[in-house]
Amino acid sequence: MTDTATPTRYANGLARRAQIVEAARELFISDGFRAVSLRDIAARSGLSHPGLLRHFASKDEILAEIVAALEAPNEAEIETVADDAVPLEDIVQVARRNQTTPGYLELFMTLAGEATVAGHPTHAAFRDRYRRLLALSAERIEAGRDAGRLPGVTDPRGESIRLAAAWDGLQLLSLYTGGAIDPATHLARHAAQLRGDRLPAVDAVATAPPLPPVPVDAEAAGYRPGRENRRTIVAAATALFARGGFHATSLREIGEQAGVPKSTLLHHFSSKDDLLIAVLEARDAEVSSVPLDDGSDPLERVGLIIAEARRSAREFPGLIEFYVVLSCEAATPSHPAHEYFRHRYELVRAHFVGLFRQLAAAGHLAPGRDPEHEGVWLVALWDGLQIQWLYDPDAVDVAAELSAYFEQVLA
């Protein structure tokens, strides 16, 4: 009797886990990972909260299982590419499958952002995944270069880093543009450039209006103690949002971190949403020294981009972590920072497209390079490099990889 009951209980347990995972997947896609609680998942699964905890100890554990199942066929395909395959075509095919798999982009980028925090339970697993796939990619790219099939490659290891980074960044951009940015199309174009193929043009990108400036009273107005309290609150919120995400952080925790009572916090910020926007504006004001189109020499602006990346890694590592975690979390349209990031991506993309157009007009762009594609690629590459850097800062140098990219793209 025991022998019969044990397999039955085991099968029932597996079925219940699958039921929980599917309920969580639906909720994470519709409402966003941080906005969903374990109790929400239990209710959707038809379980009690204690009943769910017998199978999963946390939301992170459920999300990791979902993403692992989504990633398994991708890794299998990448690892079994035939020697006579078109170089890098497997990556394009995987990207296309990801884009048509319901929820893949949302869930993968959520976990990729969440797990950049060193204390996250899947941080080491994600770091090892990047190391494994980068090593495999570098080996394949080097073989393709040596066989004369990738003449556009000079540094296989660096190319593998930049390719993986741009892929992550393109997936994130796709979520903020309603699919208008197509990762597979841009990956295919980049692969064709490395192969030396003839390339079609890319549709133009409209110039976006600038982001609104930081309100005057955000920093300058008011008495000095009030300004100091405001800065302290913003700094505390930045640290906590980076560590636990926006939804999981309470105003009470922010007040305790800042050392101010909740009444003082609410005097400066009427809601957590207002505080979030102040944090984002403060982050932009702190780290960005790259001018937009101010009529200066486009080559000088390229140098400023590289210098900005180097300065950010040296002086503002916490803000990079905050930006990565929140930009991935806010990809859900219902998130209060979604519109901010969507608008910001429009602005930066239009700026970089304009920069490459100016470089082309001045004769600085290499033959076959398209300003529309390169503007999108640079946005994606920079964001993706920051993700990789948070996982493996000793192996990834954001400024150096951006510099190597510009060496490829400039005449």
Side-chain angles (χ1 to χ4, degrees), residues 87-89 92 150 186-197:
L88 305 179
E89 186 60 28
V92 177
L150 292 173
H186 284 280
L187 287 167
R189 184 178 183 88
H190 184 75
Q193 287 170 167
L194 297 178
R195 292 193 299 263
D197 297 349

Side-chain angles (χ1 to χ4, degrees), residues 71-80 88 90-91 94 98 104 108 125-141 156-157 159-161 163-165 167-168 388:
E71 275 288 276
N74 292 348
E75 295 202 25
E77 182 169 332
I78 291 173
E79 290 175 359
T80 57
L88 305 179
D90 58 311
I91 289 176
V94 168
N98 292 348
Y104 175 90
F108 176 83
F126 245 77
R127 181 200 61 211
D128 293 343
R129 171 190 174 275
Y130 275 114
R131 288 177 176 175
R132 184 175 65 256
L133 293 179
L134 287 175
L136 178 63
S137 175
E139 181 181 324
R140 292 232 173 102
I141 290 173
R157 172 66 181 177
E159 188 60 51
S160 69
I161 291 172
L163 187 61
W167 190 355
D168 281 348
Q388 284 197 40

Side-chain angles (χ1 to χ4, degrees), residues 68-375:
L70 291 170
E71 275 288 276
N74 292 348
E75 295 202 25
E77 182 169 332
I78 291 173
E79 290 175 359
T80 57
V81 176
D83 291 337
D84 60 349
V86 178
L88 305 179
E89 186 60 28
D90 58 311
I91 289 176
V92 177
Q93 291 174 359
V94 168
R96 287 201 176 100
R97 181 169 65 234
N98 292 348
Q99 291 162 221
T100 57
T101 300
Y104 175 90
L105 297 185
E106 295 90 340
L107 296 172
F108 176 83
M109 292 313 303
T110 294
L111 185 57
E114 293 276 333
T116 56
V117 181
H120 193 277
T122 62
H123 177 83
F126 245 77
R127 181 200 61 211
D128 293 343
R129 171 190 174 275
Y130 275 114
R131 288 177 176 175
R132 184 175 65 256
L133 293 179
L134 287 175
L136 178 63
S137 175
E139 181 181 324
R140 292 232 173 102
I141 290 173
E142 183 174 13
R145 181 200 62 178
D146 293 346
R149 304 177 74 193
L150 292 173
V153 173
T154 57
D155 173 17
R157 172 66 181 177
E159 188 60 51
S160 69
I161 291 172
R162 294 189 293 276
L163 187 61
W167 190 355
D168 281 348
L170 286 167
Q171 292 186 142
L172 188 59
L173 275 174
S174 175
L175 293 173
Y176 280 105
T177 59
I181 296 294
D182 183 79
T185 297
H186 284 280
L187 287 167
R189 184 178 183 88
H190 184 75
Q193 287 170 167
L194 297 178
R195 292 193 299 263
D197 297 349
R198 223 167 161 183
L199 301 170
V202 176
D203 293 338
V205 177
T207 301
L211 287 171
V214 178
V216 173
D217 65 351
E219 285 292 343
Y223 293 107
R224 180 178 175 183
R227 295 198 304 270
E228 290 178 350
N229 277 339
R230 187 182 179 92
R231 282 193 290 269
T232 300
I233 293 167
V234 167
T238 299
L240 290 173
F241 289 160
R243 188 183 312 154
F246 172 77
H247 286 292
T249 302
S250 68
L251 288 176
R252 178 186 58 78
E253 291 172 312
I254 296 170
E256 290 175 356
Q257 176 90 354
V260 300
K262 188 175 180 180
S263 59
T264 299
L265 189 154
L266 291 173
H267 171 74
H268 294 283
F269 304 98
S270 60
S271 68
K272 195 165 68 162
D273 289 1
D274 288 344
L275 176 54
L276 175 60
I277 298 305
V279 166
L280 291 167
E281 290 170 341
R283 180 258 175 200
D284 281 348
E286 186 74 22
V287 305
S288 181
S289 61
V290 178
L292 297 184
D293 187 2
D294 58 357
S296 61
D297 183 346
L299 284 179
E300 289 182 7
R301 298 215 304 280
V302 168
L304 287 173
I305 288 171
I306 297 167
E308 172 72 11
R310 185 172 293 112
R311 184 177 78 99
S312 294
R314 183 179 63 248
E315 299 180 15
F316 308 113
L319 291 181
I320 293 176
E321 182 179 289
F322 161 76
Y323 173 84
V324 167
V325 171
L326 195 61
S327 62
C328 291
E329 178 185 330
T332 304
S334 59
H335 195 285
H338 181 84
E339 182 62 20
Y340 172 91
F341 278 103
R342 187 197 64 77
H343 193 181
R344 188 179 189 282
Y345 277 123
E346 282 186 3
L347 171 68
V348 176
R349 179 165 56 115
H351 164 60
F352 283 155
V353 168
L355 172 62
F356 282 109
R357 286 175 179 163
Q358 292 174 352
L359 289 166
H364 297 312
L365 205 57
R369 297 285 180 165
D370 185 278
E372 318 301 330
H373 163 75
E374 300 303 340

